[in-house]
Amino acid sequence: MQSFRSPIGLELSQTARVVSRAFDDALDQAGGSLPVWLILLNLKIRRPGNQRELAEAVGVREATLTHHLNALDARGLITRRRDAVNRRIHVVELTQAGEEAFLRMREAALAFDRRLNDGLTDADRDNLTGLLHRLAANVGAAENDSPPWAGLAEPPPKPGRRPTAAPGTGAAE
Amino acid sequence: MQSFRSPIGLELSQTARVVSRAFDDALDQAGGSLPVWLILLNLKIRRPGNQRELAEAVGVREATLTHHLNALDARGLITRRRDAVNRRIHVVELTQAGEEAFLRMREAALAFDRRLNDGLTDADRDNLTGLLHRLAANVGAAENDSPPWAGLAEPPPKPGRRPTAAPGTGAAE
DNA sequence: GTCGAACCATTTGACGTCTAATCATTAGAT
DNA sequence: ATCTAATGATTAGACGTCAAATGGTTCGAC
C-alpha cells in the first residue's frame, strides 16, 4: 500500500538496465557479453538452420547478428562456410577456442543467475514471469514460444549432459 | 508450477525491450522518445540544479544528456544559458514550443501507461515492483531514492494541477 | 531454359549510449 | 595573490543496435 507509485514501465526499464549492466560486467570477465553469450549458447544447444533463426533466438536483427559474427570470426571463436546444398546459407560453427569460451561464459552466466535469484522462491519466479508476460501482452507482443533452455547444466569438462537445470542466464538490455 | 523456466534475467530483458519499444513507438507520434520525455518531464516538475542532477533523474550519463540537449536546442524546445552567479552551470529552460511538446508527450505517455496497466490491480503493481527491487538489490544496485512522480495529472489546457496521479510513464531500454 | 519472386546474408548509414579526455569556472589552501 | 583541486559541461572515439538497400542464390512458372 504505497501512496505514490512510479510508473510501472519506468520501474521495469530501470531494473532491466541495472540487471543487464551487472550481467555484462559479470560476463566481461569471461570475455563475453549478453548477445555473445546467447549466440554461443544457441549455436551449442539448438542447431539453428540459418542466421535468421539464430538472430531471433538471440533477440537481435540479422544485421546486428552479422556484426557479432564478424567479431567472433575475427577472434577465432566461430567459422562460417557456405552450405554445399544451399549456398545462400552460411553454416556457423564453434571452433575449439569457441567451445572453450562457451564453457567459461557458462560458468559466469550460471554464477550470475544464482546471484540474481538469491532469496527468490519458485513461486516468486513464476509470479514475476506471469506479471512480465501480462505487461508484454498489454503492449501487443507476440509470445516467444521457443524455450530451448534445457539439457544444459553444470558439467564443464565432460560433455555428459544431464536433463534438468537452468543454463541460459540472461540479463536486460 | 512450470517444469522448465527461462532464466529470470532473460525474461526481464526481453520484456523490457518489448515494452520499451512499444513506448518509443507511442511517443514517436508525439515527436518524442523515452529519454526526451523524461528530460522534459524533469525540467517541468522538479527544477534540477545542474545537468548532473538532470542526467541522473533521466537515467543517462552527462555526455548522453548533452547529446539530447543539443537536439532539443536545435528543435527549439529548450534554451541553455550560463548562470550569472555560477558560470559553470547551464540553466536549461523550456521554450513555448517545448511546453507544447511536453503536453503532447504527456498525453501519449499517460495513454501508454493506461494500456500497459490494463487488467493489473494495485496489488499486482506493488507485487511486481517489489520483485523488481529484489532483483536489483541482488545485483547490488543502489536504490534510486527520488520519486518525483507526483503533482502532475491530466489537465492539459489549464495548469491547475491536482494532487494525485501517475504521470511519468516510462518503458524499458 | 529463362525470368521474376522469394530467400539469406551483408553492407551502409543512422542513432543512442558509454568512457575518457578536455575546456572553463569556482573554491580552498597557503 | 596564486596555485591546486574540484566542479560543470562538452567533445572525441567507440560500441551495439536498427532499418533500408544491395548481392548472391534458389525456386517456380511459363
Side-chain angles (χ1 to χ4, degrees):
Chain A
M1 184 190 292
Q2 46 196 90
S3 54
F4 286 140
R5 260 175 274 268
S6 288
I8 200 66
L10 200 54
E11 291 278 0
L12 175 62
S13 168
Q14 290 171 343
T15 303
R17 179 167 39 193
V18 165
V19 173
S20 176
R21 188 167 297 264
F23 183 75
D24 273 336
D25 286 348
L27 241 64
D28 186 58
Q29 318 262 332
S33 65
L34 173 58
V36 164
W37 158 242
L38 291 178
I39 288 169
L40 298 188
L41 176 62
N42 276 278
L43 285 177
K44 189 72 179 172
I45 43 182
R46 22 163 78 179
R47 196 58 63 134
N50 55 43
Q51 291 189 17
R52 178 168 179 70
E53 287 181 21
L54 179 55
E56 182 163 6
V58 172
V60 297
R61 300 297 175 183
E62 284 187 68
T64 305
L65 178 61
T66 295
H67 196 70
H68 288 298
L69 292 182
N70 286 342
L72 291 174
D73 202 340
R75 288 172 59 187
L77 303 187
I78 63 162
T79 58
R80 279 178 291 186
R81 56 178 175 78
R82 290 286 178 180
D83 186 313
V85 313
N86 185 347
R87 295 190 49 74
R88 286 176 297 192
I89 295 180
H90 261 174
V91 178
V92 182
E93 283 170 334
L94 287 182
T95 64
Q96 182 59 33
E99 298 274 356
E100 293 162 5
F102 166 73
L103 294 179
R104 282 194 303 274
M105 292 182 201
R106 183 173 63 175
E107 285 303 304
L110 288 169
F112 179 86
D113 193 51
R114 283 191 291 269
R115 178 155 68 105
L116 183 63
N117 279 276
D118 187 52
L120 270 72
T121 65
D122 282 357
D124 287 334
R125 276 185 282 277
D126 288 346
N127 195 350
L128 177 55
T129 299
L131 287 166
L132 291 177
H133 286 183
R134 287 169 69 187
L135 291 185
N138 276 352
V139 297
E143 283 288 344
N144 191 358
D145 50 303
S146 50
W149 317 110
L152 177 65
E154 267 289 18
K158 295 296 179 182
R161 55 188 59 170
R162 281 181 281 113
T164 313
T169 298
E173 173 201 351
Chain B
M1 184 189 292
Q2 47 195 86
S3 54
F4 285 139
R5 260 176 275 268
S6 287
I8 200 64
L10 201 54
E11 292 278 0
L12 175 63
S13 169
Q14 290 171 343
T15 302
R17 179 166 37 196
V18 165
V19 173
S20 176
R21 190 168 295 264
F23 183 75
D24 273 336
D25 286 348
L27 241 64
D28 186 58
Q29 319 262 331
S33 65
L34 174 57
V36 164
W37 158 241
L38 290 179
I39 288 169
L40 297 189
L41 176 62
N42 276 278
L43 285 177
K44 188 73 178 169
I45 43 181
R46 24 162 77 182
R47 197 58 63 132
N50 55 43
Q51 291 189 16
R52 178 170 180 70
E53 287 181 22
L54 179 55
E56 182 163 7
V58 172
V60 298
R61 300 295 177 185
E62 284 188 66
T64 305
L65 178 62
T66 295
H67 196 69
H68 289 298
L69 292 182
N70 287 342
L72 291 174
D73 203 341
R75 289 172 58 186
L77 303 188
I78 63 163
T79 59
R80 280 178 291 186
R81 55 179 176 76
R82 291 286 178 180
D83 186 312
V85 314
N86 185 346
R87 296 190 48 76
R88 287 175 298 191
I89 296 180
H90 262 175
V91 178
V92 182
E93 283 170 334
L94 288 182
T95 63
Q96 182 57 35
E99 298 273 356
E100 293 162 5
F102 166 74
L103 293 178
R104 284 195 303 274
M105 291 183 201
R106 185 174 61 175
E107 285 302 305
L110 287 170
F112 179 87
D113 193 51
R114 283 190 292 269
R115 177 155 68 103
L116 182 64
N117 279 276
D118 187 53
L120 270 72
T121 65
D122 281 357
D124 287 334
R125 277 184 283 277
D126 288 346
N127 195 349
L128 178 54
T129 299
L131 287 165
L132 291 177
H133 285 184
R134 286 168 70 186
L135 292 185
N138 276 352
V139 297
E143 284 288 344
N144 191 356
D145 50 303
S146 49
W149 317 108
L152 178 64
E154 268 287 19
K158 294 297 178 182
R161 54 189 59 169
R162 280 182 283 114
T164 313
T169 299
E173 171 208 350

